[in-house]
Amino acid sequence: MTRDVITVPPSLSVAHAWKILQRERIRHLPVVLDGKIVGILSDRDLLRLGHVLPSGELGFVDRSVADIMTLKPIVCSPTASVADVSRIMTAEKID
């Protein structure tokens, strides 16, 4: 885990979000508006939406993160123990 979490706004294009995931080698992006988490975007969300271009790269229709993010993600407090977070992740099937 890291405290320097990369977040994106809901207005960001899905193509740009994909580039961030690839560049940072991460699988999830918290979506934040006015300092509050409003959703979560995963690489799986984008893989379902994308299509393979003739170049072999993944292409996307012109949509924003807000269009495909998961709303109301499960969150925990910064003071939550690893054991508590692990239990929540297991119970909710979160990777």
Side-chain angles (χ1 to χ4, degrees):
M1 272 189 331
T2 180
R3 290 184 186 265
D4 299 322
V5 177
I6 298 169
T7 64
V8 296
S11 60
L12 188 73
S13 74
V14 294
H16 193 165
W18 177 252
K19 288 178 184 176
I20 292 170
L21 288 172
Q22 296 301 295
R23 181 186 69 224
E24 300 297 327
R25 297 178 187 221
I26 55 177
R27 296 183 52 218
H28 300 88
L29 286 168
V31 183
V32 174
L33 181 63
D34 298 328
K36 295 185 180 186
I37 189 164
V38 295
I40 190 86
L41 182 71
S42 74
D43 58 346
R44 291 180 200 159
D45 297 328
L46 293 169
L47 289 170
R48 279 191 291 269
L49 179 68
H51 57 277
V52 179
L53 300 172
S55 66
E57 295 183 73
L58 199 57
F60 300 95
V61 294
D62 188 23
R63 294 177 71 183
S64 70
V65 166
D67 294 333
I68 65 166
M69 68 184 183
T70 299
L71 299 172
K72 299 179 183 176
I74 297 168
V75 298
C76 64
S77 73
T79 59
S81 72
V82 172
D84 288 340
V85 173
S86 177
R87 279 191 287 278
I88 293 168
M89 291 178 73
T90 301
E92 299 295 331
K93 298 181 178 141
I94 300 170
D95 65 348

